[in-house]
Amino acid sequence: KQEVTQIPAALSVPEGENLVLNCSFTDSAIYNLQWFRQDPGKGLTSLLLIQSSQREQTSGRLNASLDKSSGRSTLYIAASQPGDSATYLCAVREANSKLTFGKGITLSVRP
Amino acid sequence: DGGITQSPKYLFRKEGQNVTLSCEQNLNHDAMYWYRQDPGQGLRLIYYSQIVNDFQKGDIAEGYSVSREKKESFPLTVTSAQKNPTAFYLCASSLSTGGLSNYGYTFGSGTRLTVV
């Protein structure tokens, strides 16, 4: 059974810092990996989608990488801002079309 | 704008009642999903549907029921058999299904259900 792990559960950084959020998964037979952002009490907003054949995707200050063979993905946030404070979740999609989520990393960016 | 609409945003259920959560999408997506989110437990799959008039149980289907009579709609009923229904419920959809799952998920804004 696929397991997705995100460590640490919470992170606090000063504004302007570059940071990396980690995600690991146990079964490398995935179709894609997706990073989401969730604000308190809200739904999930998709940030980046990486296909299994890709190594990375970029959107603005965000860069996500995927190493399928080692079961790892990272989300890099450049020049963090207080508005980046949220919970970040990664999820992997498998052949049965199901999405398995990590528990998320709650990020706090201090002004 | 295309998207997923969940309603209501907040829902209160009395003991022994069934309640239905609405999920509608206008993205022309084939697959739709229901997740439950509890603090510290992440998102868990309740039911999913890859095509109209067909659906499968997820990891925590007991006490829930769904229907998929239209491509756009995938309502979730929380029955009285669900012993701990208080949670945040999220609906999602995706364009592709089955083995060619190259597309990402789109989520609604969620429904917070509370038992009173």
Side-chain angles (χ1 to χ4, degrees), chain A residues 3-107:
Chain A
E3 292 184 2
V4 180
T5 303
Q6 293 184 256
I7 297 174
L11 186 63
S12 180
V13 301
E15 182 176 4
E17 188 163 304
N18 301 326
L19 58 103
V20 173
L21 306 181
N22 294 306
C23 171
S24 63
F25 48 95
T26 55
D27 187 345
S28 62
I30 64 169
Y31 277 84
N32 58 49
L33 183 145
Q34 199 166 358
W35 281 93
F36 295 90
R37 168 183 173 141
Q38 186 176 31
D39 293 292
K42 306 292 185 182
L44 275 63
T45 300
S46 180
L47 298 174
L48 289 164
L49 171 68
I50 309 177
Q51 303 298 342
S52 61
S53 58
Q54 296 175 323
R55 297 286 292 183
E56 64 179 86
Q57 283 286 335
T58 298
S59 176
R61 294 184 294 110
L62 305 179
N63 175 279
S65 68
L66 174 64
D67 184 343
K68 201 172 85 160
S69 61
S70 67
R72 294 181 183 181
S73 176
T74 62
L75 179 66
Y76 174 83
I77 303 177
S80 59
Q81 303 170 357
D84 294 330
S85 298
T87 297
Y88 291 81
L89 300 103
C90 73
V92 297
R93 185 166 188 172
E94 300 172 87
N96 58 13
S97 190
K98 290 164 61 176
L99 206 60
T100 302
F101 283 85
K103 293 183 179 181
I105 298 173
T106 299
L107 173 66

Side-chain angles (χ1 to χ4, degrees), chain B residues 50-89:
Chain B
Q50 297 179 330
I51 195 170
V52 174
N53 292 323
D54 188 42
F55 48 83
Q56 288 78 41
K57 292 182 179 180
D59 300 319
I60 55 165
E62 185 174 351
Y64 300 96
S65 66
V66 294
S67 63
R68 187 84 186 277
E69 297 177 1
K70 299 186 300 181
K71 188 176 185 178
E72 303 79 15
S73 179
F74 192 41
L76 174 74
T77 297
V78 184
T79 74
S80 57
Q82 171 50 239
K83 298 306 179 189
N84 185 24
T86 295
F88 190 50
Y89 290 86

